[in-house]
Amino acid sequence: MADKSREKDNKLTKKTIIKNHLIERGNEARIIRKIVAIITLVFVLAAGATLLGGYLYIESALKPLDPDNQKQKEIEVPIGSSTSSIGQLLEEKNIIKNGTIFKYYVKFKNISGFQAGNYKFSPSMTLAEITNALQSGKLVQKEVFKITVPEGFQLEQIADLIAKQTDYSAKEIMEKLDDPKTIEEFAKKYPEIITDDMKAKNIKHPFEGYLYPATYSFYEENPSLEAIIDPMIKQTEKVLANYDGALSEKKMSVHELLTLASLIEKEATAKADRQKIASVFFNRIDEDMPLQTDPTIAYALGEHQVRTMYEDLKVDSPYNTYVHKGLTPGPIANAGKESIEAVLNPADTDYLYFLAEYGTGDVYFAKTLEEHNALKKKHITDKRKEASK
């Protein structure tokens, strides 16, 4: 009996031991899970903090090192310097925060063509200002003068703007721009946009439409005409580079794009839908109809006109779109981005006519001549009669 009692006690002891062991293992497992969770949370927080810290550091490195410090330091960029070495040099001179980030900024922005030389940089400069200076090869300094070319301005008007800021006369400037040698000079530098299309015998001014409307700063007292014209052509090339695919898709040349865009630019009012105007021109070309756009008459006559008279429509000029079908030989003004994009993305309409209301600039579109004449009577003829009373 005693043996059986001991055997029973041993079994109970074993069960208790196993039970306690299992409880202990369960407790250990819970503790381990808690430790793993804590460690994981610590790693996640550390990784998040690292990423956040890295982001904030990069963001700060892309900004001026010290926006309030405009004191310039003279820095020499040796011939053959790599982007990495330039970045390191700028960091060592306390112009930028981090040379490596400068290198990746240049790579990401696809910037190239840095020139060796002596520069003056300050910690208040942005990376864009620094890279622009390195590309131009010019010392950073205050502008001597600037020229703002508005959208829709014609070449003779731009010549007047240049003449007001320089010692060149408007006549001198136009002679330079109309010289075939000038075309050849810039064709070597900008072969994608300066082409033989500009040499057609009927073109009034070869560079009409090729000097992009924008504001240009100049840092020399008496820059050459080439130095003044160059950034305007360069900006045209830069803008048009964004539309290479669209141009190929429409099977249009740069010259055709700038020509049609210039017609839209001169026709459009502040309230005009340029894409609809573009659709009218395309529809008329498809229907083998003359474009009949009044700004071409003013350009052919060489004078500004508030109203186009019936006698004006007979002017003997290849730019007269009432007489000649298709596009004019070349642009009649410098078009802005909106007009360029309207050519490449015209609205899908059946319109063949449009007109701007007298005094308001509201533009009305019509599919037939009858509709157009009715709109003309209502919004132009009758309005003029009322205004004359």
Side-chain angles (χ1 to χ4, degrees):
M1 289 293 291
D3 289 339
K4 287 183 178 180
S5 179
R6 280 196 295 272
E7 186 179 340
K8 186 176 180 181
D9 289 342
N10 288 337
K11 285 182 179 179
L12 288 172
T13 301
K14 286 181 180 178
K15 285 181 179 179
T16 301
I17 291 170
I18 292 170
K19 182 179 179 182
N20 290 338
H21 180 66
L22 290 173
I23 291 171
E24 191 174 320
R25 288 189 64 181
N27 289 335
E28 287 176 355
R30 281 193 291 274
I31 291 169
I32 290 170
R33 284 197 294 271
K34 286 181 179 179
I35 292 172
V36 170
I38 291 169
I39 292 172
T40 302
L41 179 61
V42 169
F43 274 114
V44 169
L45 291 174
T50 301
L51 289 172
L52 178 61
Y55 170 79
L56 293 174
Y57 180 81
I58 292 172
E59 185 181 39
S60 68
L62 291 171
K63 295 178 180 178
L65 181 65
D66 184 357
D68 298 323
N69 185 359
Q70 297 184 4
K71 185 177 180 180
Q72 293 187 332
K73 297 180 181 179
E74 191 164 325
I75 295 174
E76 181 183 356
V77 176
I79 294 174
S81 295
S82 65
T83 303
S84 297
S85 63
I86 294 173
Q88 188 63 34
L89 176 63
L90 293 172
E91 182 181 346
E92 290 172 358
K93 296 291 186 180
N94 293 318
I95 299 300
I96 62 174
K97 186 170 186 175
N98 187 289
T100 302
I101 290 175
F102 174 83
K103 180 182 75 172
Y104 284 109
Y105 170 85
V106 170
K107 185 175 182 180
F108 179 76
K109 291 283 189 178
N110 197 28
I111 301 170
S112 61
F114 289 163
Q115 299 183 45
N118 293 314
Y119 295 86
K120 286 183 180 179
F121 296 131
S122 72
S124 64
M125 293 176 65
T126 64
L127 294 187
E129 289 172 331
I130 292 170
T131 53
N132 284 339
L134 289 168
Q135 282 182 300
S136 67
K138 295 178 181 177
L139 295 179
V140 177
Q141 53 189 324
K142 290 184 179 179
E143 64 187 22
V144 176
F145 66 93
K146 63 182 179 182
I147 295 172
T148 298
V149 179
E151 294 178 354
F153 256 45
Q154 296 173 331
L155 206 62
E156 291 180 349
Q157 292 173 296
I158 297 173
D160 288 336
L161 291 177
I162 297 172
K164 288 177 182 177
Q165 296 287 355
T166 67
D167 292 332
Y168 301 106
S169 68
K171 182 181 178 182
E172 247 182 305
I173 297 165
M174 289 304 298
E175 286 176 352
K176 178 70 175 178
L177 289 167
D178 288 342
D179 188 341
K181 291 180 181 178
T182 306
I183 300 175
E184 297 298 332
E185 289 170 10
F186 283 109
K188 293 174 184 176
K189 194 169 184 180
Y190 305 105
E192 295 298 319
I193 64 167
I194 306 299
T195 67
D196 287 344
D197 289 335
M198 298 170 67
K199 300 177 183 177
K201 65 178 182 178
N202 289 329
I203 288 181
K204 190 174 182 180
H205 300 301
F207 281 94
E208 188 80 82
Y210 284 82
L211 308 186
Y212 194 77
T215 297
Y216 301 93
S217 297
F218 300 93
Y219 302 90
E220 300 175 38
E221 288 287 349
N222 297 297
S224 65
L225 274 177
E226 289 84 353
I228 295 173
I229 298 164
D230 184 270
M232 299 179 184
I233 299 173
K234 184 177 183 179
Q235 186 62 20
T236 299
E237 182 189 56
K238 183 179 179 180
V239 170
L240 295 185
N242 297 315
Y243 308 112
D244 283 343
L247 266 174
S248 298
E249 189 177 328
K250 292 193 80 70
K251 297 180 180 178
M252 292 184 74
S253 68
V254 166
H255 193 69
E256 290 170 330
L257 170 63
L258 293 178
T259 299
L260 186 48
S262 75
L263 303 186
I264 295 170
E265 189 68 54
K266 295 303 287 184
E267 279 284 15
T269 66
K271 299 180 181 180
D273 185 329
R274 294 167 195 253
Q275 291 178 305
K276 284 185 180 179
I277 293 177
S279 77
V280 171
F281 287 144
F282 278 115
N283 290 342
R284 292 181 76 92
I285 290 172
D286 289 342
E287 293 291 328
D288 197 32
M289 298 171 65
L291 297 183
Q292 295 184 329
T293 172
D294 289 357
T296 63
I297 301 301
Y299 190 77
L301 293 169
E303 57 189 40
H304 174 73
Q305 291 178 301
V306 177
R307 293 172 56 185
T308 302
M309 309 303 290
Y310 180 75
E311 307 83 63
D312 299 332
L313 304 182
K314 300 175 184 178
V315 60
D316 182 17
S317 168
Y319 285 86
N320 184 343
T321 55
Y322 280 82
V323 174
H324 302 284
K325 295 179 181 178
L327 297 177
T328 50
I332 63 169
N334 289 279
K337 185 178 179 182
E338 287 185 19
S339 294
I340 290 171
E341 290 183 348
V343 174
L344 298 173
N345 298 286
D348 184 11
T349 76
D350 295 326
Y351 296 132
L352 292 171
Y353 304 87
F354 68 88
L355 60 87
E357 184 176 45
Y358 180 74
T360 68
D362 291 326
V363 179
Y364 300 90
F365 296 85
K367 297 178 182 179
T368 67
L369 181 59
E370 289 74 22
E371 291 175 2
H372 177 66
N373 286 336
L375 288 170
K376 186 188 292 185
K377 182 178 185 302
K378 180 180 178 180
H379 297 287
I380 295 182
T381 306
D382 290 349
K383 292 282 184 180
R384 283 176 180 162
K385 287 179 180 178
E386 290 176 13
S388 63
K389 289 179 180 179

